[in-house]
């Protein structure tokens, strides 16, 4: 794996400086490093860590096939800087597709539409207070086909098909999996740059063993961003559904962003986090956070406090 990734890196660096007559940006190298120094109190034991939080490296690009058709692709790996194993590359989104007036279709390893539909409502994404701590549906599946419609005003719809051959589709004692479908209808800009409100409704059917319904909304007024999520989730081999919600807020004061979040899931537990980001520049920030996760199964509270740095390239 390390040999392959070194070859990929060398090829990407070489190709990024070669011009192309067929596309404006045939290849772009991108990524980020997010590393924290943390004190983790888990199961009544405390340890300190210097850990990576979904740091990543990838290449992406477009290729113009005709005036109305383009090919596009992404190959992305997680880089776990805190793993003692030096072969620390893990697969993330890796897909190829076509886009045009009909929309965009892609095949490969990809986030489901339901996961994408949350936008940026999770203010502590990839950290200890990530919504996936309590909520199902944060899935990246290996064998998918995804379709996005063209934009209709501020609206866009999408659907992800998950093949039964994906090993994560095998549930319980079954020897083979079932096909899964994830779908969503989205309104506005999830980055809140071109619209003051972002909203989405999404549904997973038999994806990674769960049926999940999710509604998300986020809005911005002056420097205050407020978001909410409601979710109902039910295991496919059960007739009991659990309901949960998430509330988040962020407020900008010059180069500082203050953040807070609370989430609760029935029969699972609750989580709350507070934190602050300090922007050193457009690609780089310092940040600090505190998270408390409480689980119903063992009547236990786990807490995390950390400071870190993130640099994007």
């Amino acid at each position: 794996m390390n040999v392959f990734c070194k070859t990929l890196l060398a090829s990407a660096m070489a190709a990024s400086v070669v011009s192309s007559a067929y596309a404006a940006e045939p290849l772009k190298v991108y990524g980020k490093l997010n590393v924290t120094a943390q004190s983790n109190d888990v199961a009544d034991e405390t340890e300190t860590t210097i850990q990576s939080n979904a740091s990543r490296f990838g290449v992406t690009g477009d290729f113009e096939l005709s005036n109305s058709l383009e090919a596009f692709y992404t190959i992305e790996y997680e880089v776990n800087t805190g793993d003692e194993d030096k072969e620390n590359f893990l697969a993330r989104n890796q897909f190829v597709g076509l886009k045009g007036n009909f929309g965009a279709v892609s095949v490969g390893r990809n986030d489901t539409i339901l996961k994408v539909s949350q936008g940026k409502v999770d203010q502590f994404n990839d950290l200890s207070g990530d919504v996936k701590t309590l909520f199902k549906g944060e899935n990246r599946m290996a064998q998918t086909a995804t379709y996005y419609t063209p934009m209709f005003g501020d609206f866009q719809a999408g659907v992800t098909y998950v093949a039964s051959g994906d090993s994560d589709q095998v549930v319980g004692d079954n020897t083979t999996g079932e096909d899964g479908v994830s779908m969503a209808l989205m309104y506005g800009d999830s980055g809140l740059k071109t619209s003051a409100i972002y909203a989405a409704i999404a549904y997973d059917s038999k994806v990674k063993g769960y049926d999940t319904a999710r509604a998300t909304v986020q809005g911005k007024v002056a420097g205050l961003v407020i978001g909410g999520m409601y979710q109902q989730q039910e295991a496919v081999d059960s007739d009991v559904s659990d309901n949960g919600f998430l509330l988040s807020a962020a407020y900008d004061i010059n180069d500082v962003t203050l953040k807070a979040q609370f989430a609760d899931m029935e029969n699972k537990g609750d989580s709350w986090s507070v934190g602050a980001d300090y922007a050193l520049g457009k690609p780089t920030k310092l940040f600090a956070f505190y998270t408390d996760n409480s689980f119903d199964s063992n009547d236990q509270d786990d807490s995390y406090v950390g400071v870190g740095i993130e640099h994007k390239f």
Side-chain angles (χ1 to χ4, degrees):
M1 178 64 74
N2 271 349
V3 173
F4 169 76
C5 290
K6 289 176 182 177
T7 302
L8 175 63
L9 176 59
S11 300
M13 294 301 185
S16 64
V17 299
V18 177
S19 62
S20 172
Y22 299 98
E25 194 169 42
L27 187 145
K28 176 184 177 182
V29 179
Y30 71 95
K32 75 174 182 179
L33 286 167
N34 182 305
V35 181
T36 51
Q38 293 189 201
S39 176
N40 307 323
D41 186 354
V42 180
D44 296 325
E45 294 186 4
T46 302
E47 69 171 355
T48 57
T49 59
I50 306 294
Q51 67 184 58
S52 177
N53 306 294
S55 298
R56 65 200 65 167
F57 165 79
V59 294
T60 187
D62 304 291
F63 190 92
E64 186 177 328
L65 300 171
S66 70
N67 291 334
S68 60
L69 187 65
E70 289 185 5
F72 64 93
Y73 68 94
T74 291
I75 302 175
E76 183 176 293
Y77 284 92
E78 180 177 340
V79 184
N80 189 350
T81 66
D83 193 336
E84 64 182 15
D85 188 347
K86 294 180 180 179
E87 296 185 2
N88 58 351
F89 284 88
L90 303 173
R92 288 178 59 86
N93 290 338
Q94 300 167 347
F95 55 83
V96 63
L98 297 172
K99 58 184 176 182
N101 295 331
F102 59 87
V105 60
S106 61
V107 289
R109 182 187 300 272
N110 212 344
D111 293 335
T112 64
I113 289 289
L114 181 138
K115 179 181 179 181
V116 172
S117 74
Q118 71 158 275
K120 300 182 184 299
V121 72
D122 183 1
Q123 294 289 347
F124 293 85
N125 183 47
D126 294 332
L127 299 176
S128 304
D130 193 303
V131 66
K132 68 182 179 183
T133 303
L134 299 176
F135 285 38
K136 298 296 182 181
E138 297 300 289
N139 298 317
R140 177 179 299 115
M141 307 300 288
Q143 299 186 27
T144 72
T146 297
Y147 171 68
Y148 284 92
T149 68
M151 294 294 298
F152 297 100
D154 289 326
F155 288 92
Q156 186 176 36
V159 59
T160 301
Y161 163 76
V162 184
S164 60
D166 191 319
S167 60
D168 282 338
Q169 288 297 99
V170 179
V171 179
D173 297 328
N174 295 335
T175 57
T176 58
E178 294 186 86
D179 294 336
V181 177
S182 179
M183 61 192 80
L185 176 65
M186 297 158 282
Y187 170 84
D189 168 28
S190 62
L192 300 178
K193 298 184 185 300
T194 60
S195 64
I197 295 176
Y198 171 77
I201 54 174
Y203 182 72
D204 275 2
S205 175
K206 299 179 180 179
V207 177
K208 208 171 182 177
Y210 274 82
D211 295 332
T212 305
R214 172 180 291 184
T216 303
V217 64
Q218 191 173 37
K220 185 174 184 178
V221 179
L224 179 64
V225 176
I226 300 175
M229 177 190 292
Y230 174 79
Q231 178 160 309
Q232 184 178 79
Q233 58 192 42
E234 180 180 326
V236 296
D237 55 358
S238 170
D239 58 358
V240 178
S241 62
D242 296 325
N243 302 287
F245 68 92
L246 176 146
L247 298 173
S248 65
Y251 184 69
D252 292 331
I253 306 175
N254 296 323
D255 293 330
V256 176
T257 302
L258 304 177
K259 303 190 295 185
Q261 184 163 292
F262 178 79
D264 180 271
M265 177 56 69
E266 189 177 7
N267 295 318
K268 183 69 174 181
D270 59 64
S271 171
W272 63 270
S273 300
V274 293
D277 298 347
Y278 176 66
L280 296 174
K282 187 174 182 180
T284 308
K285 69 178 181 180
L286 301 175
F287 62 95
F289 70 91
Y290 176 84
T291 292
D292 183 276
N293 295 329
S294 178
F295 299 101
D296 295 345
S297 59
N298 52 14
D299 195 26
Q300 172 184 305
D301 285 5
D302 297 337
S303 61
Y304 308 82
V305 58
V307 293
I309 182 171
E310 178 181 279
H311 178 74
K312 296 180 179 179
F313 59 89

